[in-house]
Amino acid sequence: DGGITQSPKYLFRKEGQNVTLSCEQNLNHDAMYWYRQDPGQGLRLIYYSQIVNDFQKGDIAEGYSVSREKKESFPLTVTSAQKNPTAFYLCASNEANSNQPQHFGDGTRLSIL
Amino acid sequence: QKEVEQNSGPLSVPEGAIASLNCTYSDRGSQSFFWYRQYSGKSPELIMFIYSNGDKEDGRFTAQLNKASQYVSLLIRDSQPSDSATYLCAPGGTGRRALTFGSGTRLQVQP
């Protein structure tokens, strides 16, 4: 079955630690996205990538980094510079055309220890 | 003005009634409109999309688009308790490469 796989489902971060969230898709989509969702809030765009080896900052990129070395994979690193990382992180993908809907993975819930 | 505005709710309707969810957007260049349903603690799920002015029906769901008024709505007929969720509106096809999501309307269907 085609889809988007995010791992882990739950993640805990210690003070000063970087953590990496995984996102893999087998939909052959060119574009991939990372969103952050805080309780009771909408989705805010962190980073997106339209093509391999290229990515752009979204609205709240500070404290995060990404890479896009393979079409299937778009990992997100939450760095120690992100002082309030507790949130629900969602990865999405679509064909590289904003007229097409985005499809989401099941999300990763990140908390501070 | 926010790019996408939705009433946060909660919108409460009795089982079997019609639920009407509304969304206004600011970018006149928007070409496509997506409605997502998000259950508590889960990821958003695409339930409807519409590209042209007018109505589009799919089962119990009808999306209505009025580009002149920059307004898109979602009607849910014969509402069921399982429809209780947050509904996110997302205009696409704008200058941005990514969708911009509204903050969502929480729907509660009372049995």
Side-chain angles (χ1 to χ4, degrees):
Chain A
D1 280 334
I4 302 172
T5 302
Q6 289 188 244
S7 62
K9 193 168 182 177
Y10 299 96
L11 187 58
F12 298 92
R13 194 191 90 169
K14 292 181 182 177
E15 201 74 37
Q17 185 183 43
N18 293 352
V19 293
T20 297
L21 284 59
S22 170
C23 178
E24 304 274 333
Q25 55 98 0
N26 60 5
L27 299 167
N28 199 34
H29 284 163
D30 288 309
M32 298 185 74
Y33 309 83
W34 275 105
Y35 292 90
R36 169 180 171 142
Q37 189 175 36
D38 292 284
Q41 304 297 312
L43 278 65
R44 292 187 289 167
L45 183 65
I46 305 173
Y47 268 99
Y48 64 98
S49 168
Q50 300 283 302
I51 196 169
V52 173
N53 292 323
D54 188 48
F55 48 82
Q56 284 78 42
K57 292 182 179 180
D59 300 315
I60 56 164
E62 187 174 346
Y64 300 97
S65 66
V66 293
S67 63
R68 186 86 186 275
E69 297 176 3
K70 297 187 300 182
K71 186 175 183 177
E72 304 79 28
S73 178
F74 192 39
L76 173 74
T77 296
V78 183
T79 74
S80 57
Q82 174 47 249
K83 297 306 179 189
N84 184 21
T86 298
F88 189 39
Y89 290 87
L90 289 157
C91 179
S93 72
N94 68 351
E95 298 173 21
N97 176 343
S98 61
N99 266 324
Q100 299 300 315
Q102 293 175 3
H103 300 275
F104 287 85
D106 289 339
T108 293
R109 202 165 292 278
L110 176 61
S111 303
I112 293 182
L113 273 179
Chain B
Q1 184 188 5
K2 284 185 181 178
E3 289 185 61
V4 185
E5 300 220 37
Q6 294 183 256
N7 189 322
S8 61
L11 172 67
S12 185
V13 300
E15 184 174 354
I18 296 175
S20 177
L21 307 162
N22 304 315
C23 172
T24 57
Y25 59 94
S26 61
D27 190 330
R28 286 193 171 276
S30 299
Q31 298 295 315
S32 51
F33 302 86
F34 306 103
W35 282 99
Y36 288 82
R37 177 177 62 200
Q38 186 176 25
Y39 291 113
S40 181
K42 303 295 186 184
S43 64
E45 171 194 12
L46 179 71
I47 55 170
M48 282 290 284
F49 58 90
I50 186 166
Y51 295 102
S52 306
N53 272 333
D55 295 0
K56 178 183 177 183
E57 188 174 316
D58 184 0
R60 295 187 297 113
F61 299 103
T62 298
Q64 298 176 319
L65 174 60
N66 183 327
K67 288 187 179 180
S69 300
Q70 294 175 250
Y71 175 93
V72 59
S73 64
L74 179 71
L75 302 178
I76 306 175
R77 289 182 299 282
D78 188 23
S79 295
Q80 301 297 307
S82 59
D83 294 326
S84 298
T86 296
Y87 290 80
L88 305 169
C89 164
T94 67
R96 278 174 67 110
R97 299 294 183 88
L99 294 180
T100 300
F101 287 85
S103 55
T105 298
R106 188 157 63 96
L107 173 67
Q108 293 177 339
V109 181
Q110 307 294 337

